[in-house]
Amino acid sequence: MILPPGKKIYFSSDNHLGAPTREASLPREKRFVQWLDIAQKDAAAIFLLGDLFDFWFEYKTVVPKGFVRVLGKLAEITDQGIPVYFFVGNHDLWMRDYFETELNIPIYREPEAFTFNNKKFLIGHGDGKGPGDKGYKRMKKVFVHPLSKWLYRWVHPDWGVRLAQHLSVKNKLISGEEDQQFLGEEKEWLAQYAKRKLETQHYDYFVFGHRHLPLEIKLTEGSMYYNLGDWITHFTYGVFDGTNFQLKTFTL
């Protein structure tokens, strides 16, 4: 894709709407919608890199209650012809086709390569990538197995959503959360994942979420790794103007 003059590409991740309660996350949802209002004015595309919700499970005819402000805004944006891309995170990994059929938003379950203005991006949520985190990697295999999802659909939504929200908040193993402190580039496992990818394919930018920590790491002379942070404590996002990528903080 070649960006039209004056257009930009926006990136966001880890809103965790619904956590710790819907009431507590409502101001964050409104703030995020304000950001979407601004991005909508000059966006060539918007990338949402997962964990938009703290829990999301799609039954055949039921989706979790709430989040109408952000869902309505996303529908408005795609109706205007602005593409939105969604990467499934570890808190919304049970997403099916609701975003695709209702909002015209394609979903991705693994990192995907995109090229903008001849700059190559590898984009994804980031959970379960790189060395370590073996406990979560084992749990994820169980959760994404078709049998697990089929069995869970037999749980009444009132009970299923409540149980999942409890586990999402209380159990870090299931959440796949890491210590939200930067302990050095050599211990930043997504940066290590990016370096391994560079051994076989060049990318100008690696853009991920999941860590809840805004990060900018130079991998080589021509390659950068960025983590987008979150919309809980940092309110950070990424923007590519056709030439440069920047991490920014959204202030009201």
Side-chain angles (χ1 to χ4, degrees), residues 10-24:
Y10 290 88
F11 302 80
S12 172
S13 183
D14 292 273
N15 302 73
H16 289 265
L17 298 178
T21 64
R22 282 192 172 85
E23 293 75 19

Side-chain angles (χ1 to χ4, degrees), residues 90 131-133 136 171-173 175-184 187-190 209-215 225 227 229-230 233-234:
N90 50 299
D133 210 8
Y136 169 68
N171 194 321
K172 289 188 176 181
L173 176 62
S175 298
E177 294 175 355
E178 294 291 332
D179 189 0
Q180 295 170 21
Q181 295 181 1
F182 182 60
L183 301 177
K187 294 184 178 179
E188 183 58 34
W189 41 270
L190 274 172
H210 186 60
R211 286 283 279 115
H212 292 231
L213 190 64
L215 292 172
Y225 158 72
N227 197 281
D230 66 18
T233 57
H234 299 288

Side-chain angles (χ1 to χ4, degrees), residues 114-135:
F114 293 83
T115 301
F116 305 113
N117 284 23
N118 298 318
K119 298 290 186 180
K120 194 163 185 178
F121 288 72
L122 188 66
I123 301 169
H125 181 65
D127 61 309
K129 302 302 179 185
D133 210 8
K134 294 181 179 179

Side-chain angles (χ1 to χ4, degrees), residues 126-198:
D127 61 309
K129 302 302 179 185
D133 210 8
K134 294 181 179 179
Y136 169 68
K137 290 177 182 177
R138 288 191 294 267
M139 293 296 291
K140 183 177 180 179
K141 289 181 179 179
V142 175
F143 289 153
V144 299
H145 194 281
L147 178 60
S148 299
K149 292 185 282 187
W150 181 82
L151 289 172
Y152 201 85
R153 288 195 183 97
W154 288 97
V155 180
H156 190 281
D158 287 348
W159 291 99
V161 171
R162 183 178 299 179
L163 172 62
Q165 287 174 333
H166 172 77
L167 294 175
S168 177
V169 172
K170 299 296 184 182
N171 194 321
K172 289 188 176 181
L173 176 62
I174 292 178
S175 298
E177 294 175 355
E178 294 291 332
D179 189 0
Q180 295 170 21
Q181 295 181 1
F182 182 60
L183 301 177
E185 183 178 331
E186 68 283 355
K187 294 184 178 179
E188 183 58 34
W189 41 270
L190 274 172
Q192 298 304 315
Y193 168 79
K195 287 181 178 179
R196 291 182 182 179
K197 286 291 185 180
L198 287 173

Side-chain angles (χ1 to χ4, degrees), residues 202-244:
H202 172 74
Y203 295 95
D204 297 282
Y205 299 107
F206 293 85
V207 185
F208 290 96
H210 186 60
R211 286 283 279 115
H212 292 231
L213 190 64
L215 292 172
E216 178 179 345
I217 297 176
K218 186 176 182 179
L219 302 172
T220 67
E221 277 303 317
S223 185
M224 295 291 298
Y225 158 72
Y226 289 94
N227 197 281
L228 296 175
D230 66 18
W231 283 77
I232 300 173
T233 57
H234 299 288
F235 299 95
T236 44
Y237 64 97
V239 58
F240 179 65
D241 63 5
T243 303
N244 298 303

